[in-house]
Amino acid sequence: MYKVLFTSDYEIHGSGMGSPRELVVEPTTRMLDQFDRHGARLTIMADIGEILKFKEYAEQTGNDRFFFHDIRRQLERAVTTGHDVQLHVHSSYFNATWDEAGGYWKQDFREYDLASLGYDRLKEMIGLGKRFLEDTLRPRKPDYECYAFRAANWSMHPSPNIVRALVESGIRIDTSVWKYGRYDDLVRFDYTGAHSDLVPWPVAEADVCRRDPDGKIFEFPIYTEEKPIWTFLTANRVYRVIAQRLNPLPTPEGMVDPMSGGGGAPKDRSGPFGKAKRVVSKLVRRHPWKMDFNQCTGRQLIDGLLRVERRYGHPDQPLPFVLIGHSKTFTRHNERSLRPFLEYVQDRPDRFSFGTFGDFEPERYRTDVGRAA
Ligand SMILES: [Zn+2]
Protein backbone atom coordinates (compact mmCIF):
# COMPACT_ATOMS: atom_id res chain seq x y z
CA MET A 1 0.00 0.00 0.00
CA TYR A 2 1.23 3.44 -0.92
CA LYS A 3 -0.05 6.41 1.00
CA VAL A 4 0.04 9.59 -1.02
CA LEU A 5 0.98 12.42 1.29
CA PHE A 6 0.43 15.92 -0.05
CA THR A 7 2.49 18.54 1.79
CA SER A 8 2.04 22.22 0.98
CA ASP A 9 4.47 24.90 2.12
CA TYR A 10 2.23 27.66 3.38
CA GLU A 11 4.03 30.96 2.81
CA ILE A 12 4.30 34.15 0.74
CA HIS A 13 7.09 34.85 -1.76
CA GLY A 14 10.67 34.27 -0.59
CA SER A 15 11.28 37.99 -1.20
CA GLY A 16 8.89 38.90 1.65
CA MET A 17 6.46 40.34 -0.89
CA GLY A 18 2.90 39.49 -1.73
CA SER A 19 -0.46 39.29 -0.04
CA PRO A 20 -1.03 36.34 2.28
CA ARG A 21 -4.62 36.36 1.15
CA GLU A 22 -3.73 35.87 -2.52
CA LEU A 23 -0.68 33.63 -2.06
CA VAL A 24 -1.73 31.54 0.91
CA VAL A 25 -5.35 31.68 2.07
CA GLU A 26 -7.21 31.76 -1.26
CA PRO A 27 -5.22 29.01 -3.04
CA THR A 28 -5.26 26.82 0.07
CA THR A 29 -9.04 27.15 0.23
CA ARG A 30 -9.21 25.86 -3.34
CA MET A 31 -6.76 23.11 -2.49
CA LEU A 32 -8.78 21.95 0.53
CA ASP A 33 -12.04 22.13 -1.45
CA GLN A 34 -10.58 20.09 -4.29
CA PHE A 35 -9.04 17.52 -1.96
CA ASP A 36 -12.33 17.19 -0.07
CA ARG A 37 -14.08 16.27 -3.32
CA HIS A 38 -11.69 13.31 -3.77
CA GLY A 39 -11.14 12.22 -0.19
CA ALA A 40 -7.53 13.42 -0.45
CA ARG A 41 -5.76 14.87 2.57
CA LEU A 42 -3.52 17.87 2.76
CA THR A 43 -0.71 18.49 5.23
CA ILE A 44 -0.16 22.23 5.52
CA MET A 45 3.46 23.01 6.38
CA ALA A 46 2.79 26.35 8.05
CA ASP A 47 5.70 28.77 8.01
CA ILE A 48 5.65 29.92 11.56
CA GLY A 49 8.21 32.68 11.01
CA GLU A 50 5.77 34.58 8.80
CA ILE A 51 2.61 33.73 10.67
CA LEU A 52 4.01 34.99 13.99
CA LYS A 53 4.97 38.26 12.26
CA PHE A 54 1.48 38.64 10.77
CA LYS A 55 0.02 38.05 14.23
CA GLU A 56 2.38 40.52 15.87
CA TYR A 57 1.54 43.18 13.26
CA ALA A 58 -2.19 42.75 13.85
CA GLU A 59 -1.75 42.92 17.62
CA GLN A 60 0.52 45.96 17.57
CA THR A 61 -1.39 48.05 15.05
CA GLY A 62 -4.95 46.76 15.43
CA ASN A 63 -4.89 46.24 11.65
CA ASP A 64 -5.11 42.63 10.43
CA ARG A 65 -3.43 43.63 7.22
CA PHE A 66 -1.74 40.25 6.71
CA PHE A 67 -4.91 38.23 7.28
CA PHE A 68 -3.74 36.49 10.42
CA HIS A 69 -7.31 35.70 11.44
CA ASP A 70 -8.09 34.13 8.07
CA ILE A 71 -4.93 32.06 8.38
CA ARG A 72 -5.88 30.88 11.86
CA ARG A 73 -9.37 29.95 10.72
CA GLN A 74 -7.96 28.08 7.74
CA LEU A 75 -5.59 26.04 9.92
CA GLU A 76 -8.51 25.24 12.21
CA ARG A 77 -10.62 24.16 9.25
CA ALA A 78 -7.82 21.87 8.09
CA VAL A 79 -7.32 19.97 11.35
CA THR A 80 -11.06 19.58 12.02
CA THR A 81 -11.81 18.15 8.56
CA GLY A 82 -9.27 15.33 8.27
CA HIS A 83 -6.33 17.38 6.98
CA ASP A 84 -3.24 18.24 8.99
CA VAL A 85 -1.03 21.18 9.90
CA GLN A 86 2.65 20.73 10.71
CA LEU A 87 5.67 22.94 11.21
CA HIS A 88 7.70 24.82 8.62
CA VAL A 89 10.26 27.37 9.83
CA HIS A 90 11.67 30.25 7.78
CA SER A 91 14.18 31.51 10.31
CA SER A 92 14.90 34.79 8.48
CA TYR A 93 11.45 36.09 9.53
CA PHE A 94 11.97 35.98 13.28
CA ASN A 95 13.78 39.35 13.22
CA ALA A 96 11.97 40.62 10.12
CA THR A 97 10.48 44.12 9.98
CA TRP A 98 7.81 45.43 7.64
CA ASP A 99 9.26 47.90 5.13
CA GLU A 100 6.38 50.21 4.32
CA ALA A 101 8.15 52.07 1.51
CA GLY A 102 9.31 48.91 -0.23
CA GLY A 103 6.13 46.98 0.57
CA TYR A 104 7.88 43.85 1.78
CA TRP A 105 9.06 42.04 4.88
CA LYS A 106 12.70 42.83 5.37
CA GLN A 107 14.21 39.55 6.49
CA ASP A 108 17.29 39.01 8.61
CA PHE A 109 19.69 37.33 6.20
CA ARG A 110 22.11 36.48 8.97
CA GLU A 111 19.49 33.94 9.99
CA TYR A 112 18.53 32.81 6.51
CA ASP A 113 20.28 29.43 6.51
CA LEU A 114 18.36 27.57 9.17
CA ALA A 115 20.68 24.61 9.77
CA SER A 116 23.70 26.88 10.24
CA LEU A 117 22.15 28.52 13.32
CA GLY A 118 23.22 27.66 16.84
CA TYR A 119 21.46 24.97 18.85
CA ASP A 120 19.83 27.37 21.32
CA ARG A 121 18.42 29.61 18.61
CA LEU A 122 17.08 26.61 16.70
CA LYS A 123 15.46 25.19 19.78
CA GLU A 124 13.86 28.57 20.52
CA MET A 125 12.39 28.88 17.00
CA ILE A 126 11.14 25.30 16.80
CA GLY A 127 9.67 25.55 20.30
CA LEU A 128 7.85 28.81 19.50
CA GLY A 129 6.39 27.29 16.35
CA LYS A 130 5.27 24.05 17.95
CA ARG A 131 3.71 25.89 20.90
CA PHE A 132 1.91 28.33 18.62
CA LEU A 133 0.38 25.56 16.50
CA GLU A 134 -0.66 23.48 19.50
CA ASP A 135 -2.06 26.46 21.44
CA THR A 136 -3.98 27.58 18.36
CA LEU A 137 -5.35 24.22 17.25
CA ARG A 138 -5.99 22.24 20.43
CA PRO A 139 -9.07 24.27 21.40
CA ARG A 140 -10.59 22.99 18.14
CA LYS A 141 -8.98 19.54 18.09
CA PRO A 142 -7.91 18.44 21.58
CA ASP A 143 -5.59 15.65 20.41
CA TYR A 144 -3.79 17.85 17.87
CA GLU A 145 0.00 17.53 18.05
CA CYS A 146 2.79 19.24 16.14
CA TYR A 147 5.46 16.58 15.53
CA ALA A 148 6.54 16.88 11.88
CA PHE A 149 8.86 19.49 10.45
CA ARG A 150 10.23 20.94 7.22
CA ALA A 151 13.22 23.30 7.18
CA ALA A 152 13.25 26.61 5.31
CA ASN A 153 14.75 26.02 1.89
CA TRP A 154 15.20 22.35 2.93
CA SER A 155 18.20 23.43 5.00
CA MET A 156 19.22 20.39 7.11
CA HIS A 157 23.01 20.52 6.57
CA PRO A 158 25.03 20.74 8.77
CA SER A 159 22.75 18.43 10.74
CA PRO A 160 23.92 18.10 14.38
CA ASN A 161 22.37 21.31 15.82
CA ILE A 162 19.10 21.10 13.99
CA VAL A 163 18.56 17.37 14.50
CA ARG A 164 19.25 17.74 18.22
CA ALA A 165 16.96 20.79 18.47
CA LEU A 166 14.16 18.88 16.74
CA VAL A 167 14.58 15.85 18.97
CA GLU A 168 14.68 17.95 22.14
CA SER A 169 11.56 19.83 21.03
CA GLY A 170 9.54 16.65 20.62
CA ILE A 171 9.54 16.56 16.82
CA ARG A 172 9.55 12.97 15.52
CA ILE A 173 9.44 13.38 11.74
CA ASP A 174 11.47 15.54 9.40
CA THR A 175 10.39 15.94 5.79
CA SER A 176 13.04 18.26 4.33
CA VAL A 177 15.34 15.90 2.44
CA TRP A 178 14.98 15.20 -1.28
CA LYS A 179 17.47 12.77 -2.65
CA TYR A 180 19.93 14.19 -5.22
CA GLY A 181 19.15 17.74 -4.01
CA ARG A 182 22.11 20.06 -3.74
CA TYR A 183 22.44 23.80 -3.08
CA ASP A 184 25.57 25.80 -2.64
CA ASP A 185 24.29 29.33 -2.25
CA LEU A 186 22.51 31.14 0.57
CA VAL A 187 21.81 27.68 1.93
CA ARG A 188 24.20 24.79 1.51
CA PHE A 189 23.27 21.16 1.48
CA ASP A 190 24.04 18.02 -0.43
CA TYR A 191 21.47 15.23 -0.29
CA THR A 192 23.04 13.17 -3.08
CA GLY A 193 23.85 10.40 -0.65
CA ALA A 194 20.49 10.37 1.15
CA HIS A 195 19.62 6.90 2.41
CA SER A 196 16.50 6.60 0.24
CA ASP A 197 14.38 8.57 -2.19
CA LEU A 198 11.22 7.10 -0.67
CA VAL A 199 11.50 4.86 2.38
CA PRO A 200 11.67 6.65 5.77
CA TRP A 201 14.76 6.13 7.92
CA PRO A 202 15.87 6.89 11.47
CA VAL A 203 18.25 9.83 11.21
CA ALA A 204 21.88 10.00 12.33
CA GLU A 205 22.44 13.18 14.34
CA ALA A 206 25.68 13.88 12.45
CA ASP A 207 24.05 13.77 9.02
CA VAL A 208 20.34 13.70 8.22
CA CYS A 209 21.09 11.70 5.06
CA ARG A 210 22.47 8.78 7.03
CA ARG A 211 20.51 6.00 8.59
CA ASP A 212 21.17 5.29 12.28
CA PRO A 213 19.18 2.40 13.75
CA ASP A 214 19.19 4.31 17.08
CA GLY A 215 18.13 7.62 15.50
CA LYS A 216 15.47 9.56 17.37
CA ILE A 217 13.69 11.24 14.48
CA PHE A 218 12.62 9.75 11.18
CA GLU A 219 13.18 11.26 7.78
CA PHE A 220 10.23 11.06 5.38
CA PRO A 221 11.93 12.24 2.17
CA ILE A 222 10.12 14.24 -0.49
CA TYR A 223 10.04 11.79 -3.37
CA THR A 224 12.52 12.89 -6.05
CA GLU A 225 13.78 11.49 -9.34
CA GLU A 226 16.88 12.36 -11.27
CA LYS A 227 16.03 12.98 -14.93
CA PRO A 228 16.93 15.28 -17.84
CA ILE A 229 15.25 18.67 -17.69
CA TRP A 230 12.76 18.12 -20.52
CA THR A 231 11.12 15.19 -18.72
CA PHE A 232 9.45 17.46 -16.21
CA LEU A 233 9.03 20.65 -18.19
CA THR A 234 5.43 21.83 -17.80
CA ALA A 235 3.45 25.05 -18.03
CA ASN A 236 3.29 25.12 -14.24
CA ARG A 237 7.07 25.04 -13.93
CA VAL A 238 7.46 27.86 -16.43
CA TYR A 239 4.91 29.82 -14.41
CA ARG A 240 6.88 29.25 -11.22
CA VAL A 241 10.15 30.35 -12.81
CA ILE A 242 8.50 33.54 -14.07
CA ALA A 243 6.95 34.20 -10.66
CA GLN A 244 10.37 33.83 -9.05
CA ARG A 245 12.06 36.12 -11.57
CA LEU A 246 9.44 38.76 -10.79
CA ASN A 247 9.97 38.32 -7.06
CA PRO A 248 13.71 37.97 -6.53
CA LEU A 249 15.16 37.89 -3.08
CA PRO A 250 16.61 41.19 -1.87
CA THR A 251 20.01 40.74 -0.25
CA PRO A 252 22.82 43.09 0.67
CA GLU A 253 24.69 41.92 -2.45
CA GLY A 254 21.79 42.51 -4.83
CA MET A 255 18.92 40.39 -6.05
CA VAL A 256 19.37 36.65 -6.19
CA ASP A 257 17.10 33.74 -6.80
CA PRO A 258 18.29 30.92 -4.57
CA MET A 259 15.56 28.56 -5.75
CA SER A 260 16.50 28.73 -9.40
CA GLY A 261 17.97 25.26 -9.49
CA GLY A 262 20.64 22.74 -8.63
CA GLY A 263 24.28 23.18 -7.91
CA GLY A 264 24.81 26.94 -8.07
CA ALA A 265 26.87 26.90 -11.28
CA PRO A 266 29.37 29.74 -11.69
CA LYS A 267 28.48 32.61 -14.06
CA ASP A 268 29.15 31.79 -17.71
CA ARG A 269 31.47 34.29 -19.40
CA SER A 270 32.45 32.18 -22.40
CA GLY A 271 30.49 34.00 -25.12
CA PRO A 272 27.69 32.71 -27.40
CA PHE A 273 29.24 29.29 -28.13
CA GLY A 274 29.90 28.65 -24.49
CA LYS A 275 26.35 29.69 -23.75
CA ALA A 276 24.87 27.32 -26.37
CA LYS A 277 27.02 24.52 -25.04
CA ARG A 278 25.82 25.28 -21.55
CA VAL A 279 22.16 25.20 -22.65
CA VAL A 280 22.67 21.83 -24.36
CA SER A 281 24.46 20.36 -21.39
CA LYS A 282 21.71 21.67 -19.13
CA LEU A 283 19.11 19.85 -21.24
CA VAL A 284 21.01 16.56 -21.28
CA ARG A 285 22.30 16.59 -17.72
CA ARG A 286 20.17 14.87 -15.15
CA HIS A 287 18.44 17.09 -12.61
CA PRO A 288 16.68 16.21 -9.41
CA TRP A 289 12.93 16.69 -9.72
CA LYS A 290 10.89 16.76 -6.59
CA MET A 291 7.40 15.32 -6.98
CA ASP A 292 5.76 18.72 -6.88
CA PHE A 293 2.00 18.58 -7.25
CA ASN A 294 1.89 22.22 -8.31
CA GLN A 295 4.47 21.81 -11.04
CA CYS A 296 4.00 18.30 -12.38
CA THR A 297 0.91 17.44 -14.37
CA GLY A 298 -1.47 14.84 -12.99
CA ARG A 299 -0.19 12.43 -15.63
CA GLN A 300 3.43 12.93 -14.53
CA LEU A 301 2.41 12.26 -10.94
CA ILE A 302 0.61 9.05 -11.96
CA ASP A 303 3.68 7.89 -13.90
CA GLY A 304 5.93 8.72 -10.94
CA LEU A 305 3.72 6.75 -8.57
CA LEU A 306 3.69 3.75 -10.93
CA ARG A 307 7.49 3.83 -11.24
CA VAL A 308 7.69 3.77 -7.46
CA GLU A 309 5.30 0.84 -7.29
CA ARG A 310 7.37 -1.08 -9.85
CA ARG A 311 10.61 -0.42 -7.98
CA TYR A 312 9.47 -1.03 -4.42
CA GLY A 313 6.63 -3.52 -4.87
CA HIS A 314 4.26 -3.89 -1.92
CA PRO A 315 6.14 -4.48 1.35
CA ASP A 316 4.28 -5.25 4.59
CA GLN A 317 4.16 -1.70 5.84
CA PRO A 318 2.64 1.16 3.90
CA LEU A 319 5.15 3.38 2.10
CA PRO A 320 4.73 7.15 1.94
CA PHE A 321 4.74 8.88 -1.43
CA VAL A 322 5.53 12.39 -0.19
CA LEU A 323 4.65 15.18 -2.59
CA ILE A 324 5.51 18.82 -2.09
CA GLY A 325 3.61 21.88 -3.23
CA HIS A 326 3.27 25.56 -2.50
CA SER A 327 -0.01 27.41 -2.11
CA LYS A 328 1.50 30.37 -3.96
CA THR A 329 1.91 28.34 -7.16
CA PHE A 330 -1.48 26.61 -7.03
CA THR A 331 -3.13 28.19 -10.07
CA ARG A 332 -6.51 27.33 -11.60
CA HIS A 333 -4.65 25.61 -14.42
CA ASN A 334 -2.84 23.52 -11.85
CA GLU A 335 -6.13 22.62 -10.22
CA ARG A 336 -7.35 21.17 -13.52
CA SER A 337 -4.13 19.32 -14.29
CA LEU A 338 -4.02 17.73 -10.82
CA ARG A 339 -7.47 16.18 -11.08
CA PRO A 340 -6.53 13.02 -13.03
CA PHE A 341 -4.01 12.10 -10.34
CA LEU A 342 -6.56 12.52 -7.53
CA GLU A 343 -9.02 10.36 -9.46
CA TYR A 344 -6.40 7.74 -10.23
CA VAL A 345 -5.50 7.25 -6.57
CA GLN A 346 -9.12 7.45 -5.43
CA ASP A 347 -10.15 4.72 -7.90
CA ARG A 348 -7.49 2.19 -6.79
CA PRO A 349 -8.00 1.77 -3.04
CA ASP A 350 -6.40 -1.70 -3.09
CA ARG A 351 -3.00 -0.20 -3.99
CA PHE A 352 -3.10 3.48 -3.10
CA SER A 353 -4.68 5.78 -0.58
CA PHE A 354 -4.34 9.30 0.72
CA GLY A 355 -2.78 9.98 4.07
CA THR A 356 -1.14 12.31 6.55
CA PHE A 357 1.88 11.69 8.79
CA GLY A 358 -0.48 10.52 11.52
CA ASP A 359 -1.27 7.41 9.44
CA PHE A 360 2.27 6.08 9.80
CA GLU A 361 4.06 4.39 12.65
CA PRO A 362 7.61 5.65 12.14
CA GLU A 363 9.01 2.95 14.42
CA ARG A 364 8.16 0.39 11.76
CA TYR A 365 10.93 1.90 9.62
CA ARG A 366 13.60 1.41 12.27
CA THR A 367 14.62 -1.78 10.55
CA ASP A 368 15.41 -1.18 6.92
CA VAL A 369 12.37 -2.03 4.80
CA GLY A 370 11.33 -1.71 1.20
CA ARG A 371 14.50 -1.98 -0.85
CA ALA A 372 14.17 -0.68 -4.37
CA ALA A 373 14.24 -3.33 -7.08
ZN1 LIG B 1 9.24 27.48 2.69
Side-chain angles (χ1 to χ4, degrees):
M1 168 65 72
Y2 290 86
K3 282 198 175 284
V4 175
L5 218 151
F6 288 97
T7 63
S8 171
D9 291 5
Y10 190 85
E11 61 199 22
I12 58 172
H13 291 303
S15 60
M17 287 184 181
S19 158
R21 183 163 64 185
E22 285 164 29
L23 298 174
V24 177
V25 177
E26 188 274 332
T28 303
T29 298
R30 282 189 290 111
M31 223 182 254
L32 289 168
D33 289 348
Q34 185 180 27
F35 282 21
D36 283 345
R37 290 194 292 274
H38 295 276
R41 298 163 76 195
L42 181 66
T43 299
I44 292 175
M45 304 305 293
D47 172 21
I48 221 66
E50 290 173 35
I51 293 174
L52 290 176
K53 280 291 156 188
F54 302 158
K55 177 173 183 272
E56 183 186 277
Y57 188 97
E59 284 167 358
Q60 285 177 357
T61 65
N63 176 3
D64 189 13
R65 176 175 181 176
F66 299 100
F67 307 96
F68 170 69
H69 292 290
D70 288 342
I71 288 172
R72 201 196 59 218
R73 273 193 294 272
Q74 185 157 63
L75 301 182
E76 289 171 354
R77 170 191 167 177
V79 296
T80 51
T81 55
H83 304 282
D84 195 13
V85 176
Q86 294 296 335
L87 182 63
H88 185 38
V89 175
H90 274 270
S91 37
S92 55
Y93 276 93
F94 281 74
N95 292 330
T97 50
W98 173 249
D99 184 322
E100 186 65 52
Y104 71 106
W105 284 95
K106 197 168 178 186
Q107 295 163 70
D108 181 354
F109 283 90
R110 290 166 307 182
E111 294 198 327
Y112 189 79
D113 185 6
L114 183 76
S116 71
L117 301 181
Y119 168 78
D120 291 334
R121 184 64 169 147
L122 285 165
K123 184 137 187 274
E124 184 187 359
M125 289 176 173
I126 293 161
L128 274 170
K130 180 174 158 77
R131 264 196 306 284
F132 168 78
L133 289 180
E134 291 178 349
D135 290 349
T136 303
L137 298 172
R138 276 185 183 161
R140 301 298 305 276
K141 189 174 189 290
D143 62 347
Y144 171 79
E145 194 192 355
C146 167
Y147 60 89
F149 171 84
R150 175 169 295 145
N153 309 304
W154 311 285
S155 169
M156 289 293 290
H157 272 166
S159 303
N161 285 346
I162 188 148
V163 170
R164 193 153 66 91
L166 290 170
V167 169
E168 294 300 320
S169 305
I171 299 291
R172 298 190 296 277
I173 289 175
D174 175 64
T175 181
S176 307
V177 171
W178 40 293
K179 192 168 169 71
Y180 315 112
R182 204 155 57 84
Y183 277 153
D184 187 9
D185 208 322
L186 293 181
V187 294
R188 287 155 186 266
F189 59 77
D190 185 350
Y191 299 152
T192 316
H195 176 72
S196 174
D197 55 4
L198 183 92
V199 183
W201 66 89
V203 161
E205 190 178 292
D207 179 0
V208 68
C209 289
R210 273 191 11 236
R211 185 173 190 286
D212 175 354
D214 299 322
K216 295 191 176 69
I217 59 169
F218 287 81
E219 182 64 38
F220 278 57
I222 303 160
Y223 180 66
T224 302
E225 293 184 354
E226 212 181 21
K227 298 225 177 254
I229 201 164
W230 44 265
T231 327
F232 280 105
L233 208 58
T234 62
N236 297 333
R237 272 191 207 279
V238 173
Y239 171 83
R240 190 215 53 165
V241 169
I242 293 168
Q244 261 168 16
R245 289 284 181 263
L246 294 175
N247 292 280
L249 204 57
T251 73
E253 298 84 38
M255 305 295 242
V256 296
D257 172 15
M259 298 300 113
S260 59
K267 289 268 176 300
D268 181 59
R269 294 193 177 81
S270 51
F273 287 115
K275 200 169 184 179
K277 222 165 98 183
R278 195 163 63 98
V279 168
V280 171
S281 99
K282 205 169 187 172
L283 284 171
V284 179
R285 210 169 58 219
R286 290 156 74 85
H287 291 259
W289 297 105
K290 292 187 275 314
M291 276 289 144
D292 186 318
F293 67 93
N294 299 136
Q295 294 182 36
C296 297
T297 62
R299 188 66 237 174
Q300 288 173 334
L301 296 176
I302 294 170
D303 291 343
L305 181 58
L306 292 177
R307 281 193 292 273
V308 158
E309 189 186 35
R310 276 197 299 275
R311 287 173 54 224
Y312 287 93
H314 282 272
D316 294 341
Q317 42 268 72
L319 290 176
F321 185 65
V322 179
L323 305 160
I324 189 173
H326 288 79
S327 57
K328 62 193 171 201
T329 51
F330 188 59
T331 60
R332 296 260 175 201
H333 168 77
N334 187 194
E335 197 177 326
R336 280 191 299 277
S337 77
L338 181 60
R339 203 172 119 191
F341 179 66
L342 294 170
E343 288 170 347
Y344 190 90
V345 172
Q346 188 179 19
D347 292 345
R348 287 158 183 82
D350 50 325
R351 290 149 62 201
F352 311 119
S353 66
F354 299 108
T356 61
F357 290 110
D359 296 320
F360 295 90
E361 290 172 56
E363 284 298 329
R364 294 182 69 180
Y365 305 101
R366 195 170 284 287
T367 50
D368 205 6
V369 292
R371 278 264 148 231

